[in-house]
Amino acid sequence: MSVITVKTKPSYQILIKPHIFDEIAEDLKASFNFGKVAIITDDTVKTLYGEKLSLQLNTSGIKAEIFSFPPGEGSKTIDTVISLARSLIQKRFDRKDLLIALGGGVVGDITGFLASIYLRGVKYVQVPTTLLSQVDSSVGGKTGVDLPEGKNLIGTFYQPSRVYIDPVVLKTLPKREIQNGLAEVIKYGCILKKKLFTFISQKGEELFQLNPEDLQYLIYESCKTKAYVVSKDEKEAGLRKVLNFGHTIGHALETELNYSIPHGLAVALGMLAEAKLSEKLGVAEKEVFSPLKNILANLSYPLSLPSNLSPQQVLKHLSKDKKVFQGKLTIVLLKRIGKYCFYEDPPTKKILETLEELR
């Protein structure tokens, strides 16, 4: 088993091991003092893994109940959080009880936010079931929900007590979901881990075979990188902003397209745009757009923006981004693959040119 410690206050561990899903009940009993367990999941994961986890917990003597909601970004709203909170109250869950986030990024964000505000804060653990949530969203304590005006505009920083990552559960995912998660792994390669970028480039489509050793490497390196960043800057006062590479434009695309595009694919397009912008603004010391485009092409990502997308509208969404401070947007750009920089207030004209060129 690989163990990574995230050195926040309090610190917590990420446990990565094939079939660790079957050991969750025993580890919880050995590691934490709690009462009942609420498994928060979506309707799809409830069928795939929720009932299995509930049975495991109840068989081991832990009273557990499942609370689910419809899958997808459309459920990532304050209404879902309120509905779940009311259900927990009705079932008499108190401050000593534990929440389990079982699912992908949407489930993790909703459960973390709920845990941070329910009865002014209860403990929760993450059991991510998608590659995207295993390599990114389950680690770091960012929680939140969307508003019509944009993504993740209401939320908190609230760290989980533990993260259980079982690569075996990824076997149930379609190729598109693996693509969705790989985008975040590529992001780590672009900003901090050139070796990881090279590994993905060399493996190419072979990664879709989900070789256990490849998965262990991708997940471990991604979590290790994010744990390092979060340990240094838990609440995004500085360094943690580097994790937004590809997300500034990617989130704007998601909002403009009404979340009809998967998060990872939006991030991939966002990374392409931000790599091209790095070259346009003279930030890049070496070519960054072509290497990134090649790696995405080899993994069958779309390489151009939808033709009906309005660059002007995308620009409007950027002005509402959480990273705007005193009217100025800070964006993550690349000096070269594996080395980033922060760029404040990029020229509107250059962003529009970049978006037009990618259509």
Side-chain angles (χ1 to χ4, degrees), residues 13-186:
Q13 291 182 325
I14 306 165
L15 309 183
I16 309 168
K17 179 187 175 186
H19 303 292
I20 197 171
F21 185 91
D22 301 324
E23 302 172 13
I24 291 173
E26 291 308 313
D27 186 76
L28 284 175
K29 288 199 296 184
S31 305
F32 303 103
N33 181 23
F34 59 93
K36 302 187 298 296
V37 168
I39 301 169
I40 312 294
T41 189
D42 66 40
D43 296 337
T44 301
V45 179
K46 176 183 177 182
T47 303
L48 286 171
Y49 296 111
E51 289 159 2
K52 181 181 177 183
L53 180 58
S54 178
L55 178 63
Q56 179 194 147
L57 293 168
N58 280 297
T59 301
S60 71
I62 300 171
K63 185 178 179 182
E65 293 192 52
I66 304 175
F67 301 83
S68 68
F69 51 84
E73 194 78 25
S75 289
K76 197 173 160 183
T77 65
I78 193 67
D79 290 337
T80 302
V81 174
I82 292 170
S83 175
L84 288 167
R86 294 187 67 189
S87 295
L88 290 175
I89 289 291
Q90 289 160 13
K91 294 287 186 176
R92 301 185 182 278
F93 277 80
D94 61 38
R95 285 181 177 173
K96 292 182 180 179
D97 295 329
L98 178 75
L99 306 189
I100 295 181
L102 175 66
V106 170
V107 170
D109 282 2
I110 287 173
T111 307
F113 186 38
L114 174 62
S116 74
I117 60 175
Y118 183 72
L119 302 178
R120 296 193 174 94
V122 296
K123 288 183 177 180
Y124 79 110
V125 300
Q126 290 269 14
V127 185
T129 60
T130 64
L131 182 59
L132 189 148
S133 57
Q134 289 189 353
V135 301
D136 186 66
S137 60
S138 66
V139 177
K142 271 190 177 181
T143 80
V145 295
D146 304 333
L147 293 176
E149 290 78 10
K151 192 174 170 75
N152 298 327
L153 292 180
I154 301 176
T156 58
F157 289 95
Y158 195 69
Q159 303 296 340
S161 296
R162 182 148 294 177
V163 182
Y164 298 97
I165 297 181
D166 186 346
V168 175
V169 304
L170 302 180
K171 297 287 185 180
T172 60
L173 297 178
K175 178 181 176 181
R176 187 138 169 123
E177 274 301 319
I178 301 302
Q179 272 185 318
N180 209 19
L182 274 176
E184 295 286 359
V185 185
I186 293 166

